[in-house]
Each structure stands twice: as structure tokens, then as C-alpha cells.
Amino acid sequence: MSARLPGEWAWLDAALTSGTAGVPGDPVRSRIFDEVRAERDGATAGRVLWWTGTGLPGVRETVFDLLDGLVSAHREWPAAAEVAERALTGSDQRVAWTAARILAAAGGRQRVVRVLSAATDPVVRAALVDRLRDDVDPRFRSDPEPAVRLLANVAALHHAEPAEWAALDAAVLADLEAADRVLRGSWWTAGERWAAALVARDREDDCAAWAARLSGLNRVYFAREALREWRAAPGRIAPLLAGMLAGKPSTAARKPGDESSAAQTEAARTAAARTAAARTAAAQTAAAQTAAARTAAARTLMTSLAATRLAAEALLAIVDDPELGAAATVALGTAGDLRVVSRLVRMMESGPDEPGLLGALLAVVRAGADPAELVDAARRMLATDSDRYTVLRVLAAFGPAAAAAVPDLIAHLPESAFALERIGPAAAAAAPALREHAAHQNAAVARALLVITGDRVAADDYLAGRAESPGRGRTEAAVLSCLAEHGPGGLTERQHRQLRNLFERPGRTQLETAGAIWRHEGPAAAAELLAALPHYLGDDFYAVPALRVLGAMGAHARPILPLLDSIATGRHRVHMNNGGPDDELRGDEVLLAAVLAACEHIINAK
């Protein structure tokens, strides 16, 4: 490490000791990556490696997590492999597991095998065997350490013949509990690793069977993996998880000494007290495990719309639970369960901070919620400094049923113009105020005036002030689409050219103008749309809008039915890289519903 003045490392030292160096996206973390990438053996890399010797537990974790990320981008890094090998012993479990990963990435497989041959610590040996991945020596399947045996057997499951599965499953099951005592410092438990191996081999029936046979968190791990991978899983999994929600686990435990009597000797009383204390501790541990499994079961159910609907009664029973109630209410609302509308209203008024609340509110509106309660609450919120975005989205979703809120929406123009547009002609009282704002060339105001009054002047003026080949064109696309749907006389020739110029650009703008192309050009554009829209069906953001256009095309979209049928009949979830595994699960459910709706429109069209 090249010499620097002490103060020159203040930025790096502060980031490591505070933990910000371990936060993805943090500017200092990015700077560290940039400097190490530019010079792996330079001063910054040297300073990070120097910090691996710290004895501060929290800082040590941050340093090794950072080094793990740096090694991922810089393989075969001898200096990093050296510090990782030293850190395998004398570290807590979390650091030991991270060090093993660093050693494998920076030092290679041969070094891992060499270190493993001399290692005796169970955590170190398990961590190193884990780094061998699917290429684990079969001899480790009979290792004295349960965690090593389990990892070796799980690795074997990834490539074993079906005839070997039962024996390997039995071996994994035998070590499941003991292995977790060593694996708890790693990233995945024994049950999670086993379940993932079954998913990797497409063992759908076995995964469901083990979910039914196992209990506690291990049941949840198998259930969660099944829900994430197979579309038919909710029907088999939801009842298992719903059964785990009934009642709250008892935290009561017998008091030490209950079994003792006055006639016992002092030694007997002491022994009895120790036994009772052990039972109390065991009971408390069991209660905590049951509570954790119940929470995990509930949250796993909530990740799936289908599972939520199947377990609706069980989730409804926990809406008052201090820990799970809010999430259960949102999940039920997102599934369209109107029994939680009043609770959603209270949550909205108290502050829309619960994740997914807006989606739940919009879902109950689509499911036919009585507008009175929600619209009244929205009006009260508009009169305060509440979050207007949520309120306006809810009122817009109700459309004409939110007409009572028009006076309140007028007071919030132009921000509220899109909600007035959705209310439509029932918002006629807003026309004078909208015309005042139209002079400012506001696209949302122009659309609202067009839909509410049929007056296209503001929309025409807005587009006249835009180039024939607009730039990114999102606002232009929205106005053109509105004119194509609602404008008397449709599009002018110039507006049609604007629309065409936007459609010819693949991406978001093309998709946002596809519906207008269909409305304006009709069947003449069918072949072009059928060529363009399938490219968006694998995208989590664009698939549903593309399917709406295909559905609107009706019989003219019949050539796309084989592709839609292949999506709809697939056993596996469609993974669209739209976030974590639970996001992908929910994304597939939304995609499937949209595909089925499009197929229905296409097939039943005359």
C-alpha cells in the first residue's frame, strides 16, 4: 500500500466503520469499487485489505461483505485469498462463510480443496464444501459433520438420477436439524437449500409432498419455493400455510421448581430446578420458532394473489394482529376482497405508508367497492396536506362514480386533471377551470377537456406546438391516444404523422401509441401490430399494455393465439427479472390474468 497522509483515508475509514461502505448504491462504496477496479493492487485496495484485521465485529462484517463484492469483479486476487484464508478461523460464522466465498473466488477451487483437507472446524469445513457447489466429492456424503453431509447430499440431488432421489432425500432429512446449527451463519438454511434443489430438478409433486410432511419453517421454505416456481402450487400449498395461522403460539412456560416438593433434598431440588429451567428454555425456544413459522407462513401466502384468495378466511382472521394485520389487510385488498375496504380506508387516512396500499385500494375499486366510503375519505384528505398522489389515483380509478369529488379536484388543478379526465362528462363543472389552465399548454388539462366536453381545441393546440417528429414523445403519445379514442373526427393528417413517427421507435413510446394506431387505422395496421407487440410480452412493465391492445384487436389478433396459449398453459412461472423472487411470482400472476383476458376477447370477438 502506497504511503498516504493519515487524513487521506478518512473517507474510506468512516464508510467502513459506519457501515455505509456495505450499502449498495452508496457513493463512497461506488468510489471504492471504481478505485479498486482501476488498480487492484493500489492504495485503496490495500486499505480495504488492511481493515480485514479489525477486531470490531460489526465493522469486520462490513469489510468482508465489501471485499466479497470486490472479488466478484476481480477474480484470481492472491492478496484477497490470503486474508480470506486467515479469516476462516477465529471469526464469527457470518464472516467465516463470507471468507470461504472470497477464497473460492479469489483463490480458485484447488486452493479451497487444499484448505479443506486441513480444516477441522465444522463451520469452516461446511463453508468450504459449500463453495465446491455441485462438484462435491461423494466422500463428503459420509462425513462426520452433519452440515457437511447435508451440503454434499443436496449437491448430489442437482445431478442424481431419479432412482437416487428417495435415498438422498432421506439422508438430507436425517441431518436437517443438526445441520442448521452450523448453516445458520450462511445465507440459506438447510431447508431452503433442499427445497431449491427440488425446484432445480423440477420435482413439483415431491416439493408439495415434502411441504405437507415437514413442519414449521421447513414447511414454509418448501411452500415458498413451490409458489415461486409452479403455477399450480397455490391449490396445494395455500391450505398447508393457512393451517399454520390458526391461533397464536402460547408463550407460557412452567416456572422453575414446579416439580419440586418440600420433602425433596437440597440436591434433588437443585436438580429439579435445573430440569425445569431447561424445560422452560426449551418451551420458550419452541414458542419462538412456532411464532416465526406462523409469521413466515402468513407472509408467504401474501406473496401470491391466488394463495391469498384460497386462504382468505385464515388471513381475515389475523387482520387485527399487531405484526401481520396491516400486511394481511393489504394482501386481501390486492386480491379484491371487499371485506377489508373499511380497514384500507382507515390506513389511507392515517398515512399511506404501508407497502402495497395503493395497489390494494385500486384493486378493491376494480372489484366493485362501494364508492361512497372511499370517495368521502379521499375528499377529506384533499382538504388537508395528505398524500394527494394516492387520493387522486383512487378517485381516478372510480371514474364517473367519483363525481362528488369534482369541486375538491378543481381546487387542485392542474395536478388533478388526470382524475377529472377519468371521471369524464360527469366532471362538466370543472370545464371553466380547465380552460383557464389550457392556456399553459398542459397536456393533462387538454386531455381532460377533450374527454369531459368533447372540445378538442386545447389538444389540437398542444400538438400543433410540437414537432412532427417529437422527441421522447410520452406526453404527445398520451394526447394523440386520447384524440384517437375520444376526439370528434379522429386525428388530422399531421397528427397521424406524429403518431406514426412515435410508433416507429421500438420501446415505451411504440407501446404507448399502439392502441391509438389500432383505433385510427384499424385492420390495416393489424399485421404491423402483430409483428411488434409480441416482443413486449416478456417484459414486466410492457406486457400488460401490449395484451390490452391485442385484446382490443379482437379477431384480427387470432394469429397470436398459439403464442398466448403457450404462455397460459405453461407449468412454470414466467421469470421476467422484475425484482426479487416474490416480485416475479406476482408479476407472473398478473401476466397470466392479462393473457387469459386477451385470449377471451380475441376468441369471442365477432
Side-chain angles (χ1 to χ4, degrees):
M1 183 171 63
S2 60
R4 288 198 183 187
L5 295 174
E8 292 188 62
W9 291 120
W11 64 276
L12 178 55
D13 297 348
L16 291 172
T17 54
S18 68
T20 57
V23 178
D26 182 83
V28 176
R29 178 182 172 90
S30 299
R31 177 182 173 184
I32 295 170
F33 270 78
D34 289 342
E35 294 194 7
V36 173
R37 186 179 296 114
E39 191 178 4
R40 191 182 67 179
D41 296 321
T44 301
R47 187 67 175 182
V48 172
L49 293 173
W50 178 83
W51 268 102
T52 59
T54 182
L56 300 171
V59 178
R60 191 168 171 80
E61 281 192 16
T62 298
V63 173
F64 276 90
D65 284 344
L66 174 66
L67 187 59
D68 186 22
L70 291 169
V71 167
S72 298
H74 300 277
R75 300 278 174 162
E76 299 182 3
W77 187 356
E82 190 66 33
V83 298
E85 184 174 340
R86 288 200 301 269
L88 286 170
T89 55
S91 299
D92 63 30
Q93 284 199 22
R94 171 73 184 277
V95 170
W97 281 91
T98 306
R101 187 153 75 175
I102 294 169
L103 179 65
R109 175 183 170 80
Q110 289 186 349
R111 186 162 186 169
V112 170
V113 172
R114 177 177 61 77
V115 174
L116 176 60
S117 65
T120 57
D121 182 89
V123 172
V124 173
R125 297 185 70 251
L128 291 171
V129 168
D130 187 45
R131 289 298 93 199
L132 298 177
R133 299 296 186 182
D134 296 341
D135 190 21
V136 177
D137 191 319
R139 65 188 175 89
F140 287 116
R141 289 163 57 185
S142 57
D143 193 87
E145 171 53 45
V148 171
R149 289 198 303 268
L150 182 137
L151 289 169
N153 282 312
V154 167
L157 279 170
H158 282 273
H159 52 75
E161 295 296 326
E164 302 175 84
W165 289 349
L168 287 169
D169 286 339
V172 172
L173 178 64
D175 287 326
L176 199 61
E177 185 176 345
D180 257 339
R181 288 193 285 271
V182 169
L183 298 179
R184 65 174 180 264
S186 71
W187 298 272
W188 302 281
T189 67
E192 287 173 310
R193 293 166 185 271
W194 185 16
L198 267 60
V199 169
R201 299 302 303 273
D202 197 21
R203 295 172 59 186
E204 181 175 3
D205 290 339
D206 289 343
C207 196
W210 279 111
R213 179 176 173 182
L214 296 169
S215 61
L217 283 170
N218 285 318
R219 167 178 288 181
V220 177
Y221 298 147
F222 277 79
R224 185 173 63 198
E225 292 301 318
L227 288 173
R228 289 172 172 175
E229 184 62 28
W230 296 292
R231 285 175 167 170
R236 303 169 74 173
I237 296 300
L240 297 175
L241 297 180
M244 299 174 69
L245 306 190
K248 288 191 174 182
S250 172
T251 56
R254 287 185 294 178
K255 296 179 181 179
D258 282 352
E259 298 89 342
S260 59
S261 68
Q264 289 178 308
T265 64
E266 184 65 27
R269 283 198 297 272
T270 300
R274 288 174 178 168
T275 300
R279 289 174 179 168
T280 298
Q284 290 172 340
T285 299
Q289 291 173 342
T290 302
R294 176 177 179 266
T295 296
R299 295 198 181 280
T300 299
L301 278 170
M302 296 175 203
T303 62
S304 164
L305 291 169
T308 295
R309 292 182 181 118
L310 290 168
E313 298 304 323
L315 289 172
L316 194 65
I318 65 170
V319 292
D320 291 320
D321 185 286
E323 180 184 1
L324 297 169
T329 300
V330 168
L332 288 165
T334 305
D337 195 319
L338 300 182
R339 292 174 292 181
V340 296
V341 169
S342 294
R343 292 177 178 274
L344 291 171
V345 170
R346 291 195 292 272
M347 292 171 68
M348 180 177 74
E349 289 197 87
S350 64
D353 297 326
E354 182 67 25
L357 177 58
L358 176 57
L361 291 165
L362 298 179
V364 294
V365 173
R366 290 192 297 270
D370 185 341
E373 188 175 9
L374 272 164
V375 171
D376 286 348
R379 295 184 69 184
R380 288 193 297 271
M381 292 178 70
L382 284 175
T384 68
D385 292 328
S386 301
D387 173 38
R388 285 200 294 273
Y389 178 78
T390 297
V391 174
L392 294 175
R393 288 286 304 275
V394 169
L395 291 174
F398 271 117
V406 168
D408 310 276
L409 292 171
I410 291 172
H412 292 285
L413 281 170
E415 181 185 4
S416 61
F418 79 94
L420 290 166
E421 175 192 348
R422 294 287 298 276
I423 293 172
L434 285 166
R435 286 195 171 92
E436 290 180 13
H437 287 279
H440 302 293
Q441 289 279 296
N442 185 294
V445 168
R447 296 198 314 268
L449 271 172
L450 175 62
V451 175
I452 293 168
T453 68
D455 182 354
R456 59 179 293 155
V457 172
D460 287 336
D461 288 347
Y462 178 84
L463 292 171
R466 298 297 182 273
E468 195 166 297
S469 296
R472 297 178 65 184
R474 292 202 62 205
T475 54
E476 291 89 340
V479 176
L480 287 163
S481 297
C482 190
L483 272 170
E485 183 174 3
H486 301 283
L491 302 178
T492 66
E493 289 186 10
R494 183 178 186 275
Q495 289 165 355
H496 185 207
R497 289 195 296 273
Q498 287 177 311
L499 179 66
R500 268 286 163 186
N501 287 330
L502 290 170
F503 178 75
E504 288 170 4
R505 301 174 187 174
R508 185 169 188 165
T509 305
Q510 183 177 66
L511 188 59
E512 290 174 341
T513 52
I517 289 287
W518 174 252
R519 293 188 194 98
H520 188 75
E521 299 182 16
E528 194 173 1
L529 289 167
L530 289 174
L533 293 176
H535 295 292
Y536 298 101
L537 298 184
D539 188 285
D540 67 296
F541 192 81
Y542 297 144
V544 172
L547 287 163
R548 289 197 192 106
V549 177
L550 290 168
M553 292 170 64
H556 297 280
R558 282 181 180 158
I560 204 73
L561 283 175
L563 174 59
L564 298 185
D565 186 62
S566 69
I567 296 174
T569 57
R571 289 175 49 239
H572 294 269
R573 303 279 185 198
V574 175
H575 299 290
M576 295 182 284
N577 298 317
N578 59 326
D582 294 336
D583 298 311
E584 292 195 335
L585 186 166
R586 182 67 62 85
D588 176 74
E589 290 184 318
V590 171
L591 172 68
L592 179 60
V595 167
L596 294 175
C599 288
E600 183 177 1
H601 285 298
I602 295 168
I603 292 170
N604 295 330
K606 296 181 180 179

